[in-house]
Amino acid sequence: MSDMPIFLQIRDDLAEKIRRQHFKGGSRLPAERVLAEQYKVSRMTLRQAIALLVNQGKLIRKPGSGTYVSDQEKEVSENLKGITSFTQIMQSQGKKAQSKFIVFKRHLPSAIEASNLKIDRNEEVITIERVRYGDEEPIAFEITTIPVSLVGNINRSQMAHGLYEYLEDRGFHFGKAVQEISAVVPNEIVCKRLNLTLGQAALFLRQTSYLTDDKPFEFVKTYYAGDRYRFYLEKH
């Protein structure tokens, strides 16, 4: 008998069944009671194993619905290195990128927006709220704020073709991006935008992007569907 704790043995066994597609991507895992009986353990022990697989991204909990196997084929990956547009990320993974605009407005910035963009509170900004899709499936709900002094009278149609492309066409060059990532439980509005169950976790990215002269050109807050998107970082 293995000296490994039983909940780790269960974790490994479930992971192997997922790898061999005994439990297919997107399918619902059998109820805790059923699995606990199969493994002859308490439901508390089983939950320990499932929690580890959730943390590894192999399983996804949907409150009120159950636990599901992560669909790796539908998952989008982003390398946290440099500045890359959503459209470029989708194209690199063979997916069709689309956007649905919710808000497009010109206004005076909040204190947080002004601070991140290094502008005065009396300098106008443009804020765009949109849902980003990959192969017609909602991937992200994005709130982008950009200074009018940089983009001028950019319109919705130009934004639809891509902010980065718009700036590149005008001779701007991109530098670094400062990013903060956390796990959150989004509100009802965000859940509706991303087709998430209320209470389901999401990834939240807060990013300030800079030009090569260290001038901020965008402040972005993005909610990602946790079962459809993951970040990774390469170390050398």
Side-chain angles (χ1 to χ4, degrees):
M1 183 177 291
S2 173
D3 292 331
M4 184 185 294
I6 187 64
F7 73 94
L8 293 179
Q9 295 180 47
I10 295 171
R11 176 204 61 185
D12 291 348
D13 187 64
L14 288 173
E16 180 64 14
K17 287 179 177 177
I18 292 170
R19 189 184 71 80
R20 293 179 177 276
Q21 294 197 323
H22 177 79
F23 299 127
K24 296 185 181 298
S27 67
R28 182 178 174 179
L29 209 63
E32 286 184 357
R33 175 184 56 78
V34 174
L35 288 174
E37 289 176 355
Q38 288 178 359
Y39 287 108
K40 296 181 172 56
V41 296
S42 69
R43 292 174 70 171
M44 182 175 293
T45 298
L46 179 74
R47 285 172 187 157
Q48 286 180 285
I50 288 177
L52 292 174
L53 292 172
V54 170
N55 290 337
Q56 292 173 1
K58 297 182 185 298
L59 295 176
I60 300 157
R61 281 200 179 103
K62 296 184 179 181
S65 179
T67 302
Y68 292 77
V69 179
S70 177
D71 195 338
Q72 300 291 331
E73 290 184 358
K74 291 186 176 181
E75 192 177 72
V76 177
S77 301
E78 178 180 349
N79 188 347
L80 289 174
K81 183 179 181 181
I83 297 176
T84 309
S85 72
F86 182 84
T87 299
Q88 290 170 333
I89 293 169
M90 291 299 109
Q91 290 175 344
S92 71
Q93 296 178 44
K95 295 180 180 290
K96 181 181 178 182
Q98 292 176 299
S99 296
K100 177 183 178 182
F101 283 83
I102 308 298
V103 171
F104 187 96
K105 64 180 180 179
R106 185 166 172 161
H107 61 99
L108 293 176
S110 66
I112 292 176
E113 290 167 339
S115 175
N116 279 274
L117 292 172
K118 296 182 181 177
I119 59 176
D120 294 330
R121 293 289 302 276
N122 60 357
E123 295 184 54
E124 286 191 317
V125 295
I126 293 174
T127 291
I128 307 101
E129 295 183 15
R130 52 189 170 174
V131 179
R132 314 301 297 266
Y133 296 83
D135 287 347
E136 300 185 352
E137 186 170 33
I139 300 292
F141 175 52
E142 181 182 276
I143 305 166
T144 303
T145 302
I146 51 180
V148 170
S149 60
L150 187 66
V151 297
N153 292 317
I154 188 172
N155 57 43
R156 186 185 295 234
S157 176
Q158 291 168 317
M159 273 298 302
H161 285 91
L163 172 63
Y164 292 2
E165 289 80 0
Y166 177 88
L167 292 173
E168 283 180 329
D169 289 345
R170 282 153 182 76
F172 292 104
H173 300 284
F174 307 128
K176 66 182 180 181
V178 177
Q179 302 169 318
E180 298 176 13
I181 303 171
S182 58
V184 298
V185 178
N187 61 31
E188 187 174 358
I189 293 175
V190 175
C191 286
K192 183 177 180 180
R193 303 277 190 238
L194 295 176
N195 288 346
L196 299 177
T197 304
L198 194 61
Q200 186 177 344
L203 295 171
F204 177 68
L205 172 70
R206 175 171 158 160
Q207 174 174 314
T208 302
S209 306
Y210 297 80
L211 300 173
T212 49
D213 61 1
D214 275 344
K215 183 176 183 178
F217 70 87
E218 69 171 354
F219 174 57
V220 188
K221 294 179 291 184
T222 310
Y223 296 87
Y224 293 93
D227 58 343
R228 294 163 230 152
Y229 206 93
R230 69 183 175 92
F231 294 97
Y232 69 96
L233 180 64
E234 293 182 357
K235 291 186 177 181
H236 298 280

